[in-house]
Amino acid sequence: MRILVVGSGGVGDAVARIAARRRFFDTLVVADVDLGRSQRTVEAASTHDVVGGRFVAAVVDASSAAAVEALVREHGATHVLNAVDPRFVLPIFEGVRAAGAHYLDMAMSLSHAHPERPYELPGVKLGDEQFAQASAWEADGQLALVGIGVEPGLSDVFARYAADHLFSAIDELGVRDGANLEVRGDDGEPIFAPSFSIWTTIEECLNPPVIWSADRAEAGAGLEDGWFTVAPFHEPEVFRFPDPIGDVECVHVEHEEVLLMPRWVDARKVTFKYGLGEEFIGVLQTLHRLGLDRTEPVTVRGVPVSPRDVVAAALPDPATIGPRMTGSTCAGLLVTGTGKDGAPREVYLHHLVDNAWSMAEYGAQCVVWQTAVNPVVALELLAAGTWSGTGVLGPEAFDAVPFLELLAAPTPEGYGSPWGLEERTPFA
């Protein structure tokens, strides 16, 4: 297997660091618009390369499908992992297909709100533009494994596992993510420093969140009729996360799991809620009121500038905040329904990562590490032939057990990152 990773930001850098300890691939090319950044990633990963000489730095313009195609062909890449902002999904996706390689991403093509009823009906949904090309990928014998980060990604694997092994009928698949992370500045005081790309965070938090309802699908007689939208930060609830996080208020956020899970897993309802916190929500609302969440350029002293890019440039790089961060992050799926024994059941399947551990072991802060480990596990399963397929497929389309076993198995056999299953009182 010859892998091309497009993007050497926080997640791309962590992908290389994690992959360096595994033997399933022959070459891993790290490409970025900034060659110096990809070179730094290659240098860091190479110090832990268990084989030696497998990492290569390259430069690429991710906004150009032709440039991506040329780079894939130049290095003979068999699999391409998209590790950049979702605004670049389509050119990378199309460039990889043109080059005849297989594709993986951690976020899907962007959505566009309904022009007249944004808080009721979806417009263009996350991933629609990729699923529209599914038949072409299948006809060419190529696989596009979409949404295989942590969220989307691991919760989608959990959904497949719950449907196959824990439940006879599922009422709701509810993704619930939260953390108790804190970042401090040089003066020791807490600062506003998102642990993930602010560009992506603004996109998913201020867009209309999507919910899936089987009742609506049945009333409308089709899959597409099951999705509907609500206002941002809708329906807050206090969710109990495993220790040491505890209770966190979560709200509806637009996310790919809601668009992926209903395609392969039977459930009456699918939701995504994220523990943003009052301060974070307040900052996002202020950015929106000031128009600083806009992507369309505004002219400043004769120079066109995207307000959202300015916000991103003004904030700390998520890849650099690890040493100043404390706490843990948790990604998980709350599943309610009927267990295999016919009794009501509610379980929370989750994956908890402590920042001190990920920094000590990999030099990567916990949120980017947790995101990065899942596509590496998937690539290893694809290399072994344990997972295989063609077309545009989500993680739910594959057997969950090999993935979860490999993720949790102690190193060096696995990745040494256990997941948990917590039984909860049904419908409490």
Side-chain angles (χ1 to χ4, degrees), residues 101-377:
H102 302 293
Y103 170 90
L104 298 88
D105 66 28
M106 294 167 277
M108 299 184 68
S109 57
L110 294 174
S111 64
H112 302 282
H114 192 285
E116 298 174 355
R117 300 156 71 184
Y119 303 143
E120 180 184 356
L121 298 175
V124 176
K125 303 185 299 302
L126 291 169
D128 274 358
E129 293 171 291
Q130 289 172 278
F131 282 118
Q133 301 182 43
S135 59
W137 282 78
E138 186 172 4
D140 291 340
Q142 293 171 255
L143 170 65
L145 173 48
V146 296
I148 188 60
V150 61
E151 306 293 31
L154 186 55
S155 282
D156 303 80
V157 174
F158 284 149
R160 177 80 275 154
Y161 180 78
D164 290 346
H165 301 282
L166 304 179
F167 288 82
S168 59
I170 295 175
D171 294 324
E172 181 174 348
L173 296 168
V175 182
R176 299 292 184 270
D177 290 357
N180 63 347
L181 298 172
E182 186 174 71
V183 180
R184 295 185 177 271
D186 294 336
D187 59 0
E189 293 298 313
I191 61 172
F192 181 77
S195 56
F196 206 71
S197 162
I198 188 63
W199 202 100
T200 305
T201 301
I202 289 173
E203 184 75 18
E204 63 190 26
C205 292
L206 293 180
N207 284 350
V210 182
I211 297 172
W212 157 262
S213 167
D215 291 342
R216 285 181 176 240
E218 291 163 0
L223 182 74
E224 293 292 330
D225 299 296
W227 285 295
F228 65 100
T229 54
V230 293
F233 315 121
H234 180 69
E235 197 178 27
E237 67 169 273
V238 175
F239 187 79
R240 186 179 74 254
F241 289 93
D243 291 337
I245 297 176
D247 290 350
V248 177
E249 185 179 82
C250 297
V251 294
H252 282 286
V253 170
E254 180 194 47
H255 234 253
E256 288 89 344
E257 294 90 330
V258 179
L259 287 312
L260 288 169
M261 290 178 184
R263 299 176 188 271
W264 288 280
V265 180
D266 288 332
R268 302 304 302 173
K269 187 177 183 181
V270 183
T271 58
F272 181 99
K273 287 188 176 182
Y274 192 26
L276 295 173
E278 183 178 349
E279 179 192 19
F280 203 105
I281 291 174
V283 169
L284 292 173
Q285 290 174 328
T286 299
L287 290 175
H288 181 62
R289 291 191 190 103
L290 295 175
L292 294 175
D293 60 326
R294 292 170 50 193
T295 58
E296 302 82 6
V298 297
T299 301
V300 181
R301 296 180 181 177
V303 179
V305 180
S306 164
R308 193 182 300 186
D309 286 344
V310 172
V311 173
L315 290 172
D317 182 346
T320 68
I321 62 176
R324 295 182 285 168
M325 180 187 288
T326 58
S328 300
T329 185
C330 184
L333 180 70
L334 183 69
V335 189
T336 59
T338 304
K340 295 292 187 181
D341 61 358
R345 190 177 190 186
E346 180 172 310
V347 302
Y348 183 56
L349 299 152
H350 61 274
H351 185 242
L352 188 73
V353 180
D354 176 69
N355 188 69
W357 174 85
S358 64
M359 286 298 299
E361 289 293 319
Y362 290 90
Q365 54 103 327
C366 59
V367 176
V368 299
W369 186 91
Q370 188 184 46
T371 304
V373 70
N374 296 287
V376 181
V377 174

